[in-house]
Amino acid sequence: MASYLEGSDRAEDWEEGLKIRRELVAVTEGKDGHHKDVLYLVHNLHDQYQRHGGPLSAFDEGIQQLRDLPTVDYGPDRIELLDSLAMLLYNRYVGSSAPEKLEEAIRYLREVAALIPRGHKDHILFLPVLASALQSRFQLFRRREDIDDAVDSAREAVKMARSSHRRDYLVQCLSTLALCLETRSRGQRGLGDIEEAIAVRRELVSLSPDDGPALCHLALSIITRQVNGPADNVEEGIVLLRKSLAIIPAGHPEKLRTVGALAMATLWQCELGGYQEEALELCREFVAAHRHFDPDNTSYCAAVGQLAKACWFKGDYEEAAIRYEQAANMRYATPHARFTVTKMWARQARQAGHSSSLRAHTKALELLDQCLTSTPTIDLQHQFLTNNVSDFASNAAACAIEKEELEVAVQFLEQGRALLWSRMRSYRHSIENLQESNPGLAEEFKGVCQQLEHLTVSSEPDLPGMTPLPISTSPYAAHGADFDAKMTKNRQLSEDYERIISEIRQLEGFSSFLQATPFSTLQTAASEGPVILVNVNKHRSDVIILREAEIPLLVPLPGHLHTIVDQLSSQWLSTASHIKRDEDRYGRMTGQRNLSDVLGTLWKEVCQPIAQALQKMGRPEGSRVWWCPVGRLGALPLHAAGIYNDKGVLSEGFPDLYVSSYTPTLSSLIASRATVVKGGSGPRLFAVGQSNSLPKVKDEFFKLRNLFPSHVLRVRDGERAQSNTVLRDLRAHSWVHFACHGSLDASSPFKSGFILHDNKKLTLRDIMQAKLPNAELAFLAACHSAASESMSKTPDEVLTLAAAMQFCGFRSIVGTLWTMNDSDGPVLTEKFYKHMLRNGLDHTDVRDSAEAVHLATKSMRESGVPLHRWTTFVHVGI
């Protein structure tokens, strides 16, 4: 019967054969041979789906049959059981995008790897499936280790398949290798991987010249090369796809893939001005073909998105918007797939000025949050943002401003920026009111949040509460297992998190718990002075001045400002980012002249119109304002904008008008004001430094000892300043003063930090994990402490040391936008703390810190200190 099935392509023969297989399984239950009969049935179910398609229930039946088998703890039977179960689970994932199926498949494959010695011939049983599963996970999380491991596993499988002389094994392994190489090639420079993939695909076609699916995959590789490489047409790929479509019989699962591939290829041609009618027809056919399979999954979401795009090219914007919205709301598709489609919708609607543009941006921001929720580590979350949303919030705000929806624009800027901080802050959301209403639910929420925060931020491979995977016997199998466990734990915790939030929102008075912050709440950020949101965008640039009790005020800026800001950033910050605290590599006049040009341009193009608007509002000179800049503008010294002569003397500008503070987001400013340090009659200051590498730090600490009594000042300098002791002392002090080198890590922002003893770092990650109940004021006399990496692709994430301190509870932070000169440390320190202590130690107020920085830098300016030295100092927070 098995050989009869393998030789038949008639669906009726397969159904009859499966019926007999099921009867054999029922008859042999509890007897010898039952195990083999179940495996025969499982493999036939898999083969039937591969040949004829149909509902995914075939996989469900096979999975359940294997689960019902008596437990097999060891030996070849267990290997075959796990391999078969993993194969079915992976194929079930491909058809449904259910992440738990992928997790379970990888777990079983790891265990198979533990049971088979490295290099054993039976590796060929599971290596192709493992490679495919890791490739799928890479597409979810873009974790480089996954795709590299997938390619390595696929290469090993091909090598073994060639030596086995089994044609079927070789075809399977070559197909897997080509898929992994194609996936790794996307988004990479160079064509090495895709060229190798094409060579592999051509070998597969040579093995089966009339194999329609093989022709389809070769065509896709060729098209991928032409899209990633030179701007050639995709005609060769389209010809191969048409040939493939003619060969593959109706109803075959690969027919669906081929129609989709041809639809995609003709859509690419649409962008060059052709194939519109055919693209639309093929896209409709692709969507219709999904009705014969399980709809509402990731593949269907992509198909509907392609149809929407084809409608847009044809000029039918209304149907396109309907289709885009349909794809965006497919709840069984992955958030990443839905976000990709919705981002396209938002871009096209924005360009055409379509009425759905605000709806599209709103949905995209909602899905963006879901993408981050499903991504298990903060490094991968940052990587996702780097690849997907560099200026999305800015574009959304510009769209809302065009439609005169200023309040919506403010919400967009808040919802789409500093996403990593916002997510982490939600794990520390205040639950005092919830504890009064429902103590049990409050404790459950608190516990899940603590676990999620630790899982997301920690770089440790093993975390408390994570179930170890059963693979410790083999180093080869254990490779990557820590991430497997994190992925599973993150999904489980995220599901609990969403469930608990849903339950909380059912309580009276909690319907908006942890929902996007409404404008009425965001407006309270301006309770102590106006907040200036500056959105520099390629479409349009504007300022929105947020006022406490009035509607936001719009100040349009020059349309070419986007280009100017990019030029200013590269002109100044590329130079400033290479200088350390103890160095002043560009001479006085060079640094001053460069910065004078930057400050003059900022004044004329940005800050002068803002100053004029504030004066018309009646904002008195000398009062405070808060800057909340968007994108690369956040790395430039808006607070110091003005016209300076060649000696650095200010003739007109912002420093003589207002006291400036910065805030990464409106929510962070609101949260800082809401935080009150309980207990204590005055501040305790903790000073951390490295006088062994920065000579002036000794003078800095001497100034502190003259200003603060010994019982409220603790100093850790040189070898006494080590990360574990520094973190411990941070928890016991409300004020902290760092006097050391700062370090930015462009490749991994969470490794940026303060350089302590023996060049060891107190990193951004360390600070984020700290619990600092007494935090109030942080003076960061270190380079770049308030600056992101100068060429960051995610400037709106504000991944700075100052932002990390604010996240940990510090309400006011003094930081630097670039280098600081070592000799300025003692001067600024003395002037700053004298102002803070002018009313006595027991009457200090962290709100005075903005004025203290303003007055200290003004004194430096008036004494002739060069521009680049005093303008680096900024105030963040309340």
Side-chain angles (χ1 to χ4, degrees):
M1 172 57 71
S3 61
Y4 174 68
L5 282 179
E6 290 169 4
S8 173
D9 278 327
R10 296 178 65 229
E12 308 86 62
D13 293 339
W14 278 86
E15 285 299 334
E16 183 181 354
L18 286 169
K19 180 180 178 182
I20 295 170
R21 285 289 186 207
R22 291 187 182 100
E23 290 174 359
L24 282 170
V25 167
V27 167
T28 60
E29 187 172 1
K31 302 176 182 177
D32 289 344
H34 177 65
H35 178 89
K36 289 294 182 184
D37 284 325
V38 168
L39 287 173
Y40 281 134
L41 172 60
V42 164
H43 287 295
N44 285 160
L45 286 166
H46 178 266
D47 291 344
Q48 183 207 33
Y49 184 88
Q50 294 295 97
R51 289 170 182 255
H52 302 290
L56 293 172
S57 56
F59 292 130
D60 293 331
E61 180 185 354
I63 290 167
Q64 193 57 51
Q65 288 282 2
L66 292 174
R67 293 197 196 284
D68 288 343
L69 281 173
T71 301
V72 182
D73 292 328
Y74 56 88
D77 284 348
R78 179 161 182 80
I79 292 172
E80 192 171 11
L81 168 66
L82 293 175
D83 181 60
S84 300
L85 191 51
M87 176 186 65
L88 291 180
L89 286 163
Y90 174 66
N91 281 281
R92 187 65 174 83
Y93 165 76
V94 171
S96 64
S97 303
E100 67 275 10
K101 298 293 190 291
L102 180 61
E103 293 164 19
E104 196 176 0
I106 292 175
R107 185 164 72 245
Y108 290 139
L109 289 164
R110 301 280 196 203
E111 188 174 349
V112 171
L115 295 171
I116 303 176
R118 184 73 186 266
H120 191 278
K121 62 182 179 63
D122 286 344
H123 268 81
I124 203 166
L125 295 174
F126 74 92
L127 279 177
V129 186
L130 177 60
S132 298
L134 291 172
Q135 178 266 345
S136 292
R137 193 167 75 181
F138 171 77
Q139 292 190 310
L140 278 180
F141 303 125
R142 300 291 164 183
R143 182 173 176 266
R144 179 69 192 209
E145 294 90 337
D146 280 341
I147 194 59
D148 288 343
D149 288 349
V151 170
D152 290 345
S153 296
R155 287 195 200 284
E156 186 177 348
V158 168
K159 182 179 178 181
M160 297 183 73
R162 291 193 192 282
S163 63
S164 74
H165 305 294
R166 284 280 302 269
R167 181 181 177 280
D168 54 338
Y169 283 174
L170 181 59
V171 168
Q172 180 191 9
C173 295
L174 285 171
S175 297
T176 303
L177 175 59
L179 174 65
C180 294
L181 288 167
E182 288 156 1
T183 301
R184 193 167 71 174
S185 73
R186 295 183 191 117
Q188 278 194 329
R189 294 180 179 177
L191 300 174
D193 279 342
I194 194 60
E195 292 291 0
E196 184 182 354
I198 290 172
V200 172
R201 293 293 186 195
R202 292 197 190 280
E203 181 179 355
L204 283 164
V205 170
S206 71
L207 290 170
S208 304
D210 296 323
D211 186 335
L215 288 170
C216 170
H217 291 295
L218 173 58
L220 283 172
S221 285
I222 291 170
I223 291 168
T224 299
R225 178 187 63 189
Q226 292 171 330
V227 170
N228 285 356
D232 301 331
N233 61 46
V234 293
E235 288 296 337
E236 182 186 358
I238 289 176
V239 169
L240 287 171
L241 286 170
R242 294 194 202 283
K243 184 178 179 181
S244 169
L245 206 56
I247 295 173
I248 300 174
H252 193 287
E254 287 293 334
K255 192 86 169 182
L256 180 70
R257 183 192 296 272
T258 308
V259 171
L262 188 54
M264 179 176 64
T266 53
L267 266 179
W268 280 334
Q269 291 294 76
C270 278
E271 297 185 26
L272 302 176
Y275 289 92
Q276 287 188 357
E277 291 292 346
E278 184 181 9
L280 185 58
E281 182 182 338
L282 283 166
C283 287
R284 291 196 192 282
E285 183 181 346
F286 189 34
V287 168
H290 277 81
R291 293 174 189 148
H292 301 294
F293 299 84
D294 279 9
D296 225 19
N297 63 11
T298 294
S299 174
Y300 188 48
C301 175
V304 174
Q306 284 188 359
L307 176 56
K309 191 174 181 180
C311 290
W312 204 277
F313 282 140
K314 194 71 173 60
D316 189 348
Y317 296 161
E318 296 310 314
E319 182 181 356
I322 291 169
R323 294 292 189 175
Y324 273 131
E325 196 153 20
Q326 177 190 358
N329 289 309
M330 286 184 184
R331 53 188 294 254
Y332 293 109
T334 64
H336 294 73
R338 295 162 65 195
F339 176 71
T340 298
V341 170
T342 310
K343 190 169 63 167
M344 174 61 72
W345 173 24
R347 183 176 68 82
Q348 291 184 326
R350 168 71 183 77
Q351 289 176 345
H354 191 260
S355 59
S356 67
S357 59
L358 281 183
R359 215 159 62 245
H361 282 96
T362 301
K363 187 67 181 179
L365 287 169
E366 174 192 323
L367 290 168
L368 178 56
D369 183 67
Q370 292 181 28
C371 288
L372 293 178
T373 299
S374 64
T375 303
T377 70
I378 200 165
D379 293 298
L380 287 173
Q381 290 173 5
H382 177 254
Q383 180 180 298
F384 170 78
L385 293 173
T386 299
N387 295 332
N388 287 277
V389 291
S390 60
D391 57 358
F392 192 82
S394 176
N395 288 338
C399 176
I401 291 169
E402 261 185 12
K403 296 186 179 300
E404 300 182 350
E405 296 280 358
L406 293 189
E407 293 184 4
V408 174
V410 172
Q411 289 175 288
F412 279 163
L413 287 174
E414 186 70 12
Q415 194 177 352
R417 298 172 61 252
L419 291 161
L420 299 180
W421 294 125
S422 298
R423 172 145 296 280
M424 297 304 298
R425 191 172 286 111
S426 72
Y427 297 150
R428 299 187 181 185
H429 188 77
S430 173
I431 56 172
E432 289 184 7
N433 293 335
L434 180 61
Q435 283 174 324
E436 294 178 7
S437 178
N438 192 318
L441 202 56
E443 285 305 308
E444 188 179 7
F445 177 71
K446 180 181 177 181
V448 167
C449 285
Q450 288 175 341
Q451 291 183 74
L452 270 171
E453 180 183 336
H454 189 51
L455 178 70
T456 303
V457 177
S458 178
S459 58
E460 300 169 19
D462 299 310
L463 299 171
M466 287 203 319
T467 305
L469 300 181
I471 56 176
S472 58
T473 56
S474 168
Y476 171 66
H479 177 65
D482 55 319
F483 184 75
D484 300 347
K486 280 188 176 184
M487 185 176 95
T488 298
K489 188 66 174 177
N490 179 75
R491 179 183 54 77
Q492 294 168 344
L493 287 171
S494 296
E495 288 173 357
D496 288 342
Y497 180 75
E498 296 299 329
R499 172 187 57 79
I500 295 168
I501 287 176
S502 179
E503 291 179 20
I504 292 172
R505 288 174 182 166
Q506 303 304 312
L507 301 175
E508 186 176 352
F510 290 88
S511 59
S512 61
F513 185 78
L514 280 183
Q515 288 187 333
T517 310
F519 175 78
S520 58
T521 300
L522 296 177
Q523 191 174 24
T524 63
S527 61
E528 296 180 19
V531 181
I532 306 164
L533 295 111
V534 190
N535 187 42
V536 176
N537 185 265
K538 60 186 176 183
H539 299 294
R540 61 175 297 152
S541 295
D542 303 272
V543 170
I544 300 176
I545 300 179
L546 202 61
R547 301 177 285 184
E548 180 183 18
E550 301 175 71
I551 63 172
L553 176 66
L554 181 70
V555 181
L557 296 176
H560 60 288
L561 188 58
H562 180 264
T563 303
I564 292 174
V565 167
D566 281 347
Q567 291 172 346
L568 293 179
S569 295
S570 58
Q571 175 186 341
W572 172 249
L573 294 180
S574 61
T575 302
S577 63
H578 295 296
I579 304 161
K580 297 179 180 179
R581 176 180 156 148
D582 57 341
E583 297 172 345
D584 193 7
R585 293 180 186 167
Y586 43 68
R588 277 174 172 265
M589 296 309 298
T590 303
Q592 187 153 298
R593 186 170 61 250
N594 287 348
L595 186 53
S596 177
D597 293 341
V598 171
L599 295 174
T601 303
L602 282 177
W603 173 247
K604 292 176 183 177
E605 302 288 354
V606 180
C607 296
Q608 189 175 44
I610 294 171
Q612 291 169 347
L614 291 170
Q615 289 167 338
K616 286 181 182 178
M617 287 166 46
R619 189 67 182 166
E621 291 187 7
S623 60
R624 292 188 62 188
V625 297
W626 278 262
W627 294 98
C628 190
V630 176
R632 300 207 180 281
L633 196 62
L636 292 171
L638 295 167
H639 63 285
I643 305 300
Y644 298 83
N645 65 18
D646 57 2
K647 294 182 179 179
V649 176
L650 178 66
S651 58
E652 61 170 321
F654 219 84
D656 281 347
L657 296 174
Y658 299 104
V659 176
S660 291
S661 293
Y662 290 82
T663 183
T665 62
L666 302 176
S667 297
S668 61
L669 182 58
I670 293 168
S672 293
R673 289 193 180 125
T675 307
V676 177
V677 177
K678 298 176 181 178
S681 57
R684 298 185 66 214
L685 176 63
F686 174 44
V688 183
Q690 290 296 301
S691 61
N692 51 316
S693 60
L694 297 168
K696 293 297 182 180
V697 168
K698 285 190 180 295
D699 293 342
E700 207 163 319
F701 287 169
F702 179 77
K703 303 286 187 185
L704 291 177
R705 288 188 175 99
N706 283 339
L707 289 166
F708 288 87
S710 59
H711 69 280
V712 300
L713 174 65
R714 174 183 282 273
V715 175
R716 286 200 178 274
D717 189 17
E719 63 181 15
R720 296 181 63 240
Q722 300 189 21
S723 57
N724 58 337
T725 55
V726 168
L727 282 173
R728 184 191 66 208
D729 287 336
L730 272 174
R731 298 185 184 99
H733 293 79
S734 55
W735 290 12
V736 63
H737 183 104
F738 280 93
C740 53
H741 285 303
S743 169
L744 289 177
D745 191 316
S747 60
S748 182
F750 301 102
K751 292 180 182 177
S752 299
F754 300 106
I755 306 297
L756 300 181
H757 181 60
D758 283 345
N759 283 324
K760 292 181 180 177
K761 260 194 260 184
L762 180 68
T763 67
L764 199 65
R765 192 189 299 272
D766 295 329
I767 296 167
M768 289 169 65
Q769 290 178 279
K771 297 289 191 291
L772 307 176
N774 300 305
E776 272 200 323
L777 171 67
F779 193 120
L780 312 181
C783 300
H784 316 292
S785 57
S788 301
E789 197 276 323
S790 61
M791 300 310 291
S792 170
K793 293 182 179 179
T794 55
D796 278 330
E797 283 310 295
V798 203
L799 297 174
T800 69
L801 295 167
M805 301 301 274
Q806 189 180 46
F807 168 76
C808 290
F810 286 95
R811 304 163 70 202
S812 284
I813 302 99
V814 181
T816 56
L817 288 179
W818 50 84
T819 183
M820 64 168 284
N821 190 284
D822 193 31
S823 62
D824 293 332
V827 176
L828 192 78
T829 293
E830 182 176 38
K831 292 184 180 301
F832 175 84
Y833 287 109
K834 273 188 174 179
H835 186 78
M836 294 298 294
L837 299 171
R838 68 193 185 284
N839 296 320
L841 191 65
D842 294 339
H843 296 90
T844 56
D845 186 342
V846 292
R847 287 178 173 83
D848 292 340
S849 55
E851 186 177 43
V853 176
H854 179 78
L855 293 175
T857 54
K858 182 181 180 181
S859 175
M860 293 172 69
R861 168 164 56 101
E862 291 174 345
S863 66
V865 172
L867 281 176
H868 64 267
R869 283 170 52 184
W870 68 264
T871 52
T872 186
F873 296 104
V874 295
H875 178 266
V876 179
I878 66 170

